[in-house]
Amino acid sequence: MANVSPGRSDISTHPDVSEMRVRYDRMLGGRDVALVDGPVFLLGLYCAVSPWILHYTVSQPALVTHNLIVGIAIGLLALGFTAAPARMYGLSWAMCALGVWMIIAPWVVGDSPDAGVAVNNIIIGALAVILGAMCAFTAARSVPKP
């Protein structure tokens, strides 16, 4: 087999080095909020399974379905933030909207929720608003100004 690689490891003489650097910078751009992706995913996971953790599957069946769907949506947003950050961080405000909806949902979707169910949704919603705002502000700050 022929040795096609040169004896040195310096790529500065490669004909496409400037294009590779631009692509590398573009791929890593917007990753300032990489530490928030994990907590957002865990929040979505907890939101989806919280009816079974807090045992209100029988008393609030509408909220069970609601929390499952919203939890999956938050988890998918987190996966999108990780997989395609440059495209997805514009949707950080959508997570804030999901958080506000989670705060008011026990009274809109549920049937006279007890205090534990309401507090659970309020905490999930507040965390979603905070994490979504962190993602949105950091992504807005990391966008290069023309």
Side-chain angles (χ1 to χ4, degrees), residues 98-107 118 121-127 129:
L98 283 173
V100 170
W101 173 248
M102 281 298 293
I103 292 172
I104 62 172
W107 296 278
N121 275 25
I122 289 170
I123 290 172
I124 292 172
L127 287 173
V129 168

Side-chain angles (χ1 to χ4, degrees), residues 87-100:
R87 294 180 183 177
M88 291 294 293
Y89 281 128
L91 290 176
S92 300
W93 293 110
M95 197 169 72
C96 292
L98 283 173
V100 170

